[in-house]
Amino acid sequence: MRRKPFPWHITVFLAPAVLIYTLFMIYPMLASLKFSLYQSLDDGRQVFVAFGNYIKLLTDPNWKEPFWNAFWNNVVFFVIHMSLQNPIGLLLAVLLASNIRGAWIYRTIIFTPTILSVVLVGFAWKLILSPTWGIWFPLLDRLGLGDNEVAIALLGNESSALITLSLISVWQNIGIPMMLFLAALIRIPSELIEAAQVDGASSWRVFWRIQFPLIVPTVGIVAILTFIGNFNAFDLIYATQGALAGPNYSTDIMGTFFFRTFFGFQLRPGDPNMGATVAGMMLLIILAGVLLYLYGWQRRMEEVQF
Amino acid sequence: MFRRLTGALALAAFLMATFLGGAFAKQQVIIESWRTDDLKLWKDVIIPAFNKHYPDIEVIFAPTNPAEYNAVLDSKLQAGTAGDLITCRPFGKSLELYNKGHLAPLNDLPGMENFTDFAKVAWSTDDGSVTYCVPMASVIHGFLYNKDLFDKYGFQPPKTWEEFIDLLGQMKKKAPALAPLVMGTKDQWEAATMGWHNIAPNYYGGEAGRRAFLAGKEGFHTDGFLKGFEALAQWAPYLPRGFKAVSYSDAQQLFTQGRGFIYPAGSWDIGVFHQMNPKLNMGAFKAPPPTGATKSYISDHQDIAMGLNPASKNADAAKKFLEWLTTKEFAELYGNALPGFFPLHNFNITISDPVANEFLSWRQTSEGTFRMTYYKLSDQKPDAETDLWVASVNILNGNQTPEEAAKWIECRLSSWYQPHKHFHEELNCK
Amino acid sequence: MTGSRYRWFRVFKISGIHATLLAYSALVLFPILLVFMNSFKDQMAIFGEPLAPPTPETFSVDGYKTLFEIANFQHYFLNSLIVTTVSLVLIVFLGAMAGWALAEYEFKLNTFMAIYLALGIMVPIRLGTVGILRLMADWHLVNTLTALILVYTAMGLPLSIFILSRFFAQLPPDFKDAARIDGASEYRIFTLVLPLVRPALGTVAAISMIPVWNDLWFPLILAPSEKTKTIVLGAQVFLGQFLNDWQAVLAALSLAMIPAILLYMLFSKQLIRGLTAGAVK
């Protein structure tokens, strides 16, 4: 190591990856950001408008309303994931870590939806909840919910469509937090738990006193992964509700709003500059989340840990 | 490991090269369209008929979902990946494509003389000097009904709006398990297209009303236009169970399976329903005018045409296809293969399908008008057509009263449409 | 604490765990099996008795027939396979090279490079779509599999480099030093250490595979042509075109799910090892 005059080999090792990564990830990202600072005229020329597009997005009623609507819907989407997907994932991981027989079978099954395409999962659930197929209504009738306005049209009601889609997404993605929690739980030395059990501690106590404190760092990782995934989501809404994210834009999230802005819809053409602006806002939101995680959460974690 | 990896890499590169390098011996023409329902017919009937004349041209019909067609087409045109032939929506959308250079002028195409000016108007520049799409067909709105179910319960097709609503009430009482009116609001566009565009012309007075609207004398919140929304609101109790989650294809499924009485239709559904359930015994009635009305109106909409992508690498072959579209042979084939698409050619064509003929006969008894939001009113954002989807759904779902919905859509339109500026102030839009 | 009371409590607890996990597994398998099962029934039976398995009277493969007549699923599958394989090879191999450089050598820009390359783990590549589309259009790469491969490689590299550099850093130095004393070149040493991190390479491949195989966004935007459709886009388009033909819809869903499930079974060991090794930091 560290003895050659010019480290050609380092360049050779690094160059291909850095080149592809810079060219197809960093450069397009910067180009998009630059593009969001311009507006195209009718004759196709581009004029520099500085932050004009961002101001328009946040103040012009035609843009402000759909933007904040998509943003808050996305927040709801994220909150549902945080409050259901991750706790249930943790519960499943704890059950799987409790040395029962056949744990690997359960683990393999529960992870299966995660490897399927969101398009297929969304479409399959749409069929199951469809009023035409005789699955959902007979089930509701048996439960005595046959007259419930919301239950009979889960994907059609403004009050329930977003929640339903979030639940479908939770159903699909629960495997990821489950696996990460499971990994963290397995790494806990079994002597610790056995010692506590010998002392007569209940499983509940063992979990809160020993297991949970040791997997707290994983909780942070899961949270930030969920955050990035959710604010970047698109496929599920597009596949089940279409690009208009109905009813009445109640399932519109940042991804679908970006798609519609960029590509346009029905009789309206898209606006690439505003599309880039929406993407710029998404980048800002995600970066804010990541920084919060790195500086808020992880710093504190380092202090807590040994 | 290293050797295996490079081996895999070489193999993959080889696969890719042979795969991407495969040249096409035939000339290939790709058609962009939103008519997904007609995929089989194009493949089995229309393209083979064309290939009898031009066996060396391979035509591929590649439709996209109707609701996504425009967006997908735009993105493909932008990226330079669109097909050679582009199925044209009427009015503004295609005009804009022409203005951006995505549709070639077709004035000189042999056979264009086979169309009247009326047929060409939806695909010509405002001054009429350039036509950029070959007109294919218009569609008519109305209602399809299940004849067997009507006979079983002794119902008659209604003549007036009041009879219509009354009939729906009787259906609900006599056959609670069946849906009186089969339509959903999940996909959003049906509520506006099969709903409002279908019935509202009777209230706002067809072409005359549409012109008054364009000139700023009427708005969505005035007279006939508001009455159109009010009429639509009356449908809500008679839609299928869970209609908010019923998609367009769900509704088609419900009606063809005999699980409902009446289906608010576009004439293009006729052919689809024949395919889905050949045994279905269908009848049709036009949008019933209110009692006492002296005139009745139907939505007769120039719907579909085809243009040439100037970026096409097979423009010669594509033009051959367009030429063929102007012939009587195509008109007859298309009108009969797809009952419910009424060719716009000058020829006298016999349509054999009785239900399609019923639709066609309304041209004698009613005045036709096209979907009003397509012309001018959707040229800017927020566009009236998309807003009409949202407003119609909100009315049927019970989220907005007709007055609220009318005011909402008028405020959005008058925010940019100059002739309506005065409404913006009158309505106190924020 | 002793005796039968404790044993009864344990039995009770374990059966409770099994019951919970069984119930959740059922919830997972129900939609998948339902779709698969009904894809082998005729239209009447699909709607009439959705929960009944196909019987000799209701058995039908018409949906699959339509699928093979109309859509080119074999071809879509091949596209997905090419894109995924080539991307994975590039992600793993180029990632290993860069990861090795970052772990093994000390140079001025080391920390900067590590952070620069790690940015891509946190920032989704989709946000650069506008730029990517313009770049690909300028280079005439739109509607080619190459465009997809390049984008997926760029997408997968950051995580791959991150994981692999950690594995390389854990290698004992004796082996490398011995090779160096024997006069082996740095390139030669790299080929010698690569087999030592083979499990890690498999892990990276398994983790990177899912998002590449299942992606809808980039095929939809960069390569929507018939020639270059991947299986997910092909299925999405087909589902949109055949909304009325439930037999075909269910067949398409089943057929698009099967390759993913097979791949999963093939690679589940690596995948789970990767995830449980805390690879995703």
Side-chain angles (χ1 to χ4, degrees):
Chain A
M1 283 179 265
R2 42 191 119 98
R3 51 184 97 121
K4 296 193 173 169
F6 185 81
W8 274 113
H9 54 278
I10 299 182
T11 322
V12 170
F13 282 133
L14 270 175
V18 173
L19 198 71
I20 292 187
Y21 171 74
T22 308
L23 213 52
F24 297 102
M25 182 134 187
I26 298 298
Y27 168 73
M29 204 83 78
L30 294 177
S32 297
L33 283 179
K34 181 185 158 215
F35 204 52
S36 72
L37 304 177
Y38 286 78
Q39 194 51 264
S40 29
L41 300 177
D42 286 340
D43 58 10
R45 270 186 310 140
Q46 295 274 323
V47 268
F48 183 73
V49 293
F51 292 100
N53 290 331
Y54 289 88
I55 294 168
K56 189 164 146 195
L57 184 66
L58 296 173
T59 56
D60 182 336
N62 281 336
W63 289 101
K64 185 173 72 175
E65 277 173 33
F67 172 76
W68 287 114
N69 173 53
F71 177 79
W72 287 115
N73 284 340
N74 222 144
V75 170
V76 171
F77 194 64
F78 171 64
V79 167
I80 293 174
H81 279 79
M82 281 305 284
S83 54
L84 282 177
Q85 173 185 293
N86 300 344
I88 296 176
L90 179 57
L91 173 74
L92 292 172
V94 171
L95 295 183
L96 287 175
S98 62
N99 273 330
I100 51 156
R101 272 200 204 169
W104 68 274
I105 302 179
Y106 294 125
R107 191 183 61 188
T108 311
I109 291 176
I110 296 173
F111 197 74
T112 307
T114 311
I115 53 117
L116 295 177
S117 156
V118 188
V119 177
L120 306 177
V121 167
F123 208 90
W125 274 104
K126 191 163 94 172
L127 295 189
I128 290 166
L129 296 176
S130 155
T132 20
W133 206 11
I135 301 222
W136 189 239
F137 280 0
L139 180 74
L140 285 179
D141 288 340
R142 197 165 295 177
L143 294 173
L145 287 169
D147 296 325
N148 188 302
E149 280 289 318
V150 174
I152 57 173
L154 280 182
L155 288 172
N157 274 297
E158 280 183 50
S159 57
S160 59
L162 183 61
I163 299 171
T164 309
L165 288 166
S166 308
L167 291 179
I168 294 173
S169 174
V170 167
W171 176 86
Q172 167 159 42
N173 291 314
I174 202 154
I176 295 171
M178 181 187 81
M179 285 293 183
L180 294 176
F181 284 130
L182 185 58
L185 288 170
I186 288 173
R187 261 177 284 159
I188 298 173
S190 51
E191 300 85 45
L192 273 180
I193 296 168
E194 277 159 18
Q197 277 168 342
V198 169
D199 287 347
S202 67
S203 303
W204 185 251
R205 263 179 86 84
V206 169
F207 174 74
W208 284 112
R209 286 294 169 82
I210 299 170
Q211 290 175 305
F212 189 75
L214 287 172
I215 59 163
V216 166
T218 310
V219 174
I221 292 162
V222 166
I224 190 66
L225 285 178
T226 311
F227 179 80
I228 297 174
N230 285 169
F231 273 88
N232 189 32
F234 161 80
D235 307 35
L236 178 67
I237 314 277
Y238 181 72
T240 47
Q241 307 295 85
L244 205 52
N248 202 10
Y249 302 107
S250 62
T251 56
D252 201 19
I253 56 173
M254 297 303 289
T256 41
F257 179 53
F258 168 47
F259 184 84
R260 252 193 352 268
T261 311
F262 184 57
F263 287 114
F265 186 73
Q266 199 53 18
L267 301 183
R268 288 306 311 144
D271 183 339
N273 296 97
M274 285 310 282
T277 311
V278 176
M281 287 304 292
M282 291 168 74
L283 187 65
L284 216 62
I285 294 167
I286 289 173
L287 279 182
V290 170
L291 289 179
L292 199 71
Y293 164 73
L294 288 178
Y295 287 96
W297 173 277
Q298 226 183 23
R299 272 281 165 79
R300 200 170 317 156
M301 278 299 106
E302 274 160 18
E303 285 161 20
V304 174
Q305 277 177 333
F306 335 90
Chain B
M1 186 73 198
F2 179 73
R3 211 169 287 159
R4 236 185 283 165
L5 273 174
T6 38
L9 191 67
L11 180 71
F14 169 75
L15 271 174
M16 230 168 74
T18 46
F19 172 72
L20 295 174
F24 296 101
K26 275 184 169 182
Q27 268 193 302
Q28 206 180 37
V29 174
I30 294 169
I31 300 176
E32 300 283 350
S33 173
W34 67 89
R35 290 300 312 158
T36 51
D37 285 342
D38 307 341
L39 188 62
K40 268 187 186 160
L41 272 163
W42 277 85
K43 225 179 152 111
D44 298 344
V45 180
I46 298 173
I47 293 171
F50 171 74
N51 278 344
K52 269 185 204 147
H53 302 279
Y54 301 98
D56 290 336
I57 300 176
E58 188 190 1
V59 182
I60 296 173
F61 185 72
T64 321
N65 248 337
E68 287 152 24
Y69 174 69
N70 294 4
V72 171
L73 179 66
D74 275 345
S75 67
K76 285 184 181 175
L77 285 168
Q78 244 171 37
T81 58
D84 308 275
L85 292 172
I86 292 167
T87 308
C88 305
R89 299 269 194 195
F91 303 106
K93 178 69 203 172
S94 292
L95 180 61
E96 170 204 313
L97 289 181
Y98 169 73
N99 285 337
K100 281 192 176 165
H102 292 315
L103 284 172
L106 294 175
N107 288 14
D108 303 332
L109 188 80
M112 280 307 263
E113 65 279 2
N114 295 341
F115 300 96
T116 58
D117 287 346
F118 169 79
K120 286 191 273 194
V121 69
W123 298 284
S124 298
T125 48
D126 282 344
D127 60 3
S129 63
V130 183
T131 305
Y132 37 81
C133 297
V134 179
M136 287 166 72
S138 69
V139 294
I140 298 175
H141 281 302
F143 294 84
L144 291 168
Y145 65 91
N146 188 321
K147 263 192 175 157
D148 292 339
L149 283 179
F150 265 54
D151 289 348
K152 186 175 161 196
Y153 289 93
F155 294 142
Q156 292 294 322
K159 294 270 184 312
T160 66
W161 182 261
E162 285 67 25
E163 274 180 45
F164 179 44
I165 298 297
D166 181 59
L167 178 67
L168 293 174
Q170 288 181 42
M171 286 168 174
K172 205 174 176 179
K173 232 177 274 162
K174 287 192 186 164
L178 300 174
L181 198 58
V182 185
M183 189 180 85
T185 55
K186 172 135 197 306
D187 290 348
Q188 308 200 49
W189 61 274
E190 315 96 289
T193 313
M194 327 289 225
W196 203 80
H197 284 310
N198 186 358
I199 59 174
N202 269 326
Y203 290 93
Y204 65 70
E207 278 297 283
R210 191 181 69 81
R211 291 212 185 87
F213 188 96
L214 276 181
K217 285 178 204 141
E218 299 275 355
F220 279 115
H221 61 299
T222 63
D223 302 339
F225 293 89
L226 178 61
K227 284 201 186 110
F229 286 120
E230 285 166 353
L232 185 65
Q234 292 180 287
W235 284 9
Y238 308 110
L239 297 175
R241 186 181 176 197
F243 69 89
K244 292 175 193 173
V246 170
S247 67
Y248 175 55
S249 63
D250 284 337
Q252 291 179 314
Q253 209 60 261
L254 286 172
F255 183 69
T256 49
Q257 287 175 15
R259 289 155 72 178
F261 286 97
I262 300 173
Y263 176 91
S267 52
W268 66 85
D269 281 316
I270 300 170
V272 183
F273 288 173
H274 285 325
Q275 263 185 50
M276 286 173 71
N277 179 4
K279 285 183 218 142
L280 184 70
N281 191 3
M282 283 185 293
F285 60 89
K286 65 183 177 190
T291 322
T294 49
K295 260 187 181 176
S296 70
Y297 300 88
I298 55 167
S299 166
D300 186 355
H301 186 72
Q302 294 95 323
D303 184 58
I304 187 167
M306 200 175 283
L308 175 67
N309 179 358
S312 163
K313 290 190 185 76
N314 296 311
D316 290 339
K319 272 191 172 169
K320 293 258 164 53
F321 189 81
L322 288 177
E323 256 182 75
W324 183 67
L325 292 187
T326 66
T327 60
K328 189 171 181 184
E329 183 195 352
F330 172 77
E332 222 143 44
L333 188 70
Y334 194 67
N336 282 303
L338 294 167
F341 282 97
F342 305 108
L344 290 160
H345 305 63
N346 288 336
F347 316 114
N348 261 332
I349 293 158
T350 26
I351 304 257
S352 53
D353 187 90
V355 185
N357 264 323
E358 172 71 30
F359 272 75
L360 209 50
S361 72
W362 300 335
R363 283 187 176 160
Q364 316 305 319
T365 55
S366 301
E367 197 181 290
T369 179
F370 59 81
R371 295 179 206 150
M372 58 161 292
T373 46
Y374 274 62
Y375 183 67
K376 296 250 190 226
L377 302 177
S378 295
D379 286 357
Q380 279 184 49
K381 199 180 154 90
D383 68 287
E385 172 68 7
T386 310
D387 281 354
L388 191 65
W389 297 13
V390 175
S392 306
V393 169
N394 278 344
I395 289 171
L396 288 172
N397 283 7
N399 296 336
Q400 280 182 324
T401 64
E403 293 76 25
E404 284 164 0
K407 191 187 159 197
W408 176 79
I409 185 171
E410 182 56 49
C411 274
R412 284 170 62 94
L413 176 67
S414 58
S415 71
W416 62 267
Y417 184 62
Q418 286 305 328
H420 277 212
K421 270 283 172 216
H422 56 286
F423 289 138
H424 205 68
E425 281 132 43
E426 280 167 36
L427 284 169
N428 282 324
C429 306
K430 32 176 178 150
Chain C
M1 187 71 212
T2 48
S4 67
R5 209 174 128 220
Y6 176 71
R7 193 175 305 147
W8 272 111
F9 180 69
R10 250 193 88 70
V11 168
F12 182 71
K13 191 174 118 183
I14 287 189
S15 40
I17 292 176
H18 276 289
T20 316
L21 288 172
L22 266 177
Y24 198 86
S25 301
L27 181 67
V28 165
L29 289 179
F30 172 71
I32 300 171
L33 291 180
L34 192 70
V35 165
F36 194 66
M37 187 176 83
N38 278 288
S39 73
F40 290 102
K41 283 154 65 171
D42 59 35
Q43 189 102 355
M44 281 292 288
I46 292 174
F47 284 103
E49 299 215 32
L51 295 176
T55 63
E57 291 88 55
T58 60
F59 180 83
S60 159
V61 288
D62 285 355
Y64 290 93
K65 276 189 201 149
T66 315
L67 207 62
F68 284 110
E69 275 165 24
I70 300 265
N72 212 337
F73 259 69
Q74 313 88 294
H75 187 82
Y76 302 157
F77 178 75
L78 188 66
N79 284 344
S80 278
L81 199 66
I82 293 171
V83 169
T84 312
T85 317
V86 179
S87 307
L88 283 186
V89 169
L90 290 174
I91 290 171
V92 170
F93 192 64
L94 301 184
M97 281 165 56
W100 166 253
L102 291 180
E104 181 65 13
Y105 309 112
E106 272 175 25
F107 52 99
K108 236 191 258 165
L109 291 173
N110 190 312
T111 319
F112 168 78
M113 272 298 168
I115 294 174
Y116 175 71
L117 289 166
L119 272 181
I121 303 177
M122 291 300 191
V123 180
I125 193 166
R126 266 184 201 175
L127 299 181
T129 303
V130 181
I132 291 175
L133 183 57
R134 292 166 73 87
L135 186 72
M136 295 299 179
D138 287 347
W139 290 5
H140 303 288
L141 282 177
V142 171
N143 269 348
T144 62
L145 297 182
T146 317
L148 292 179
I149 290 169
L150 290 170
V151 170
Y152 290 142
T153 307
M155 178 174 96
L157 274 174
L159 192 63
S160 159
I161 295 172
F162 183 79
I163 295 173
L164 292 174
S165 70
R166 291 177 122 206
F167 273 93
F168 280 122
Q170 284 165 9
L171 288 180
D174 332 1
F175 179 76
K176 293 171 283 187
D177 290 345
R180 282 201 179 90
I181 290 163
D182 286 351
S185 74
E186 294 301 321
Y187 306 109
R188 174 83 187 122
I189 292 174
F190 176 64
T191 62
L192 290 176
V193 291
L194 206 50
L196 299 180
V197 292
R198 206 159 60 188
L201 299 179
T203 297
V204 168
I207 292 182
S208 313
M209 184 168 65
I210 299 174
V212 173
W213 181 273
N214 282 338
D215 187 41
L216 171 68
W217 181 267
F218 285 110
L220 180 69
I221 287 164
L222 290 179
S225 79
E226 190 59 28
K227 272 191 309 184
T228 54
K229 258 182 210 141
T230 60
I231 195 158
V232 170
L233 179 61
Q236 208 262 345
V237 171
F238 183 85
L239 294 175
Q241 291 173 347
F242 280 81
L243 288 172
N244 283 322
D245 188 343
W246 277 51
Q247 280 184 288
V249 161
L250 294 170
L253 283 173
S254 306
L255 214 58
M257 282 180 186
I258 290 167
I261 292 180
L262 286 180
L263 282 174
Y264 171 53
M265 287 177 169
L266 227 73
F267 286 96
S268 65
K269 222 170 89 190
Q270 275 88 352
L271 182 78
I272 287 165
R273 192 168 50 205
L275 286 167
T276 49
V280 186
K281 206 216 135 141

